[in-house]
Amino acid sequence: MSEESQSRSDVTRIAVAGAAGRMGATIIETCRDLADIVVTVALEHPGHPMIGKSMDTCPGNIETGKGIHCQADLELAADDFDVLIDFTRPEATLNNVEVCRRHGKRIVIGTTGLTSEDKDRIQDAASVTGIVLAPNMSIGVNLCFTLLETAARILGQEFDIEIIEAHHRHKLDAPSGTALRMGEVIADTLGRDLSQCAIYGRQGQTGERSSETIGFATIRAGDIVGDHTVMFAAPGERVEISHKASSRRTFAAGALRAAKWIVQQPFGLFDMQDVLGLRTRDS
Ligand SMILES: NC(=O)c1ccc[n+]([C@@H]2O[C@H](COP(=O)([O-])OP(=O)(O)OC[C@H]3O[C@@H](n4cnc5c(N)ncnc54)[C@H](OP(=O)(O)O)[C@@H]3O)[C@@H](O)[C@H]2O)c1
């Protein structure tokens, strides 16, 4: 094998679903700086104004996606990519998962707002192909998941736990997938069931706080990329674990790292803890 073809086989070809969206555009832009990953397919829904147009006219992506035309049919593009990166909406993600399952294509899913039935379908598809599903692709947030497990284990049942998140005004789901995952990590560590102990917002005569609950508070405002704080509060002291994202590039870089990683996995459902090697033996 020549040196040139050797280096080409190291290049991962990416299809980006939601290519004209905030995350899709950032992924295409981030790929410009990488030698071992190339965007070969840009997808949007059939009614999108970008369909048929070159991605170099995509707002925010002047020149970065040159040569790629936005298309609506993943099936037709099945031979043209190795990994699909999907940051869209749940219904679009599930359709794309079915196509990838049929063609044995790996998938990185960043879409949030998935129901437990949606996740079951993704788990099912993971029996035949490799899938990374993560509500937050940033290294910092994934480190926070590990820190939260430690904090919950040490602070135990004695501290009240509240999760506060803030995002931009366009976000469609609440609480964020990241906040919910933080709640799951803490609940699992404490032996609680999040569906039983979560309190989503408070209003009116709420009565005293039960120590068993995990509270969620949501802020939607302006252009906040994504802030999360978990507060562990007891009489006399308070521990807060916070993460603040200031650029979507951090999520895009994580998604691309996940894409490079998942091509090595024939099948199975993974998250960013797996990709980043943060999973502890008992988690
Ligand atoms: N995992 C992470 O690290 C992470 C980070 C950031 C965001 N997210 C999640 O990623 C998702 C997208 O976020 P975003 O801020 O990029 O949203 P966005 O700007 O609205 O982008 C979503 C894109 O998907 C398109 N779309 C909608 N339905 C589609 C379909 N059926 N097929 C193909 N494309 C479709 C949208 O088109 P229209 O504009 O015409 O609807 C839009 O271009 C959200 O669920 C968000 O919570 C995850």
Side-chain angles (χ1 to χ4, degrees), residues 17-24 43-46 48-49 86-93 95-96 109-113 134-138 168 170-173 178 225 248 251:
R22 280 176 289 268
M23 277 307 303
L43 280 172
E44 269 295 345
H45 58 88
H48 198 281
D86 191 312
F87 285 75
T88 55
R89 308 255 168 88
E91 63 278 15
T93 299
N95 288 336
N96 291 336
I109 301 172
T111 306
T112 61
N136 197 305
M137 304 274 175
S138 99
H168 54 89
H170 302 292
K171 185 161 176 61
L172 298 177
D173 53 318
T178 305
V225 174
R248 286 187 179 82
F251 309 129

Side-chain angles (χ1 to χ4, degrees), residues 43-239:
L43 280 172
E44 269 295 345
H45 58 88
H48 198 281
M50 280 304 295
I51 294 298
K53 294 188 182 152
S54 171
M55 291 307 291
D56 60 359
T57 62
C58 178
N61 275 295
I62 309 299
E63 301 211 311
T64 56
K66 220 164 194 159
I68 313 162
H69 284 74
C70 195
Q71 57 195 85
D73 194 336
L74 183 60
E75 192 87 49
L76 291 178
D79 291 337
D80 301 334
F81 70 96
D82 304 310
V83 184
L84 173 75
I85 300 183
D86 191 312
F87 285 75
T88 55
R89 308 255 168 88
E91 63 278 15
T93 299
L94 290 176
N95 288 336
N96 291 336
V97 164
E98 284 311 312
V99 176
C100 287
R101 177 199 185 119
R102 279 200 295 280
H103 293 272
K105 298 289 175 176
R106 314 293 204 281
I107 322 167
V108 173
I109 301 172
T111 306
T112 61
L114 297 160
T115 63
S116 54
E117 290 76 27
D118 296 340
K119 288 178 190 166
D120 286 348
R121 285 177 60 185
I122 292 167
Q123 173 82 65
D124 199 43
S127 62
V128 294
T129 192
I131 304 178
V132 175
L133 170 65
N136 197 305
M137 304 274 175
S138 99
I139 293 176
V141 158
N142 282 280
L143 169 65
C144 284
F145 291 149
T146 302
L147 297 176
L148 287 170
E149 211 180 301
T150 304
R153 202 169 48 243
I154 292 170
L155 302 175
Q157 315 287 350
E158 309 304 314
F159 283 63
D160 295 331
I161 301 163
E162 296 283 317
I163 302 175
I164 305 113
E165 60 102 340
H167 281 84
H168 54 89
R169 62 169 67 152
H170 302 292
K171 185 161 176 61
L172 298 177
D173 53 318
S176 70
T178 305
L180 290 169
R181 182 73 198 122
M182 287 174 156
E184 278 169 8
V185 167
I186 296 164
D188 287 353
T189 306
L190 295 176
R192 298 181 197 168
D193 177 352
L194 188 65
S195 69
Q196 300 301 311
C197 68
I199 302 286
Y200 298 110
R202 299 181 179 89
Q203 191 186 19
Q205 295 299 310
T206 59
E208 278 194 16
R209 188 190 196 290
S210 155
S211 60
E212 286 293 299
T213 57
I214 297 177
F216 289 81
T218 295
I219 294 162
R220 294 286 174 264
D223 61 356
I224 301 168
V225 174
D227 293 355
H228 293 88
T229 294
V230 180
M231 182 188 292
F232 295 83
E237 65 174 332
R238 195 162 81 220
V239 174

Side-chain angles (χ1 to χ4, degrees), residues 255-269:
L256 292 166
R257 186 165 169 169
K260 290 294 293 181
W261 186 87
I262 198 66
V263 282
Q264 311 295 333
Q265 319 300 324
F267 62 90
L269 183 60

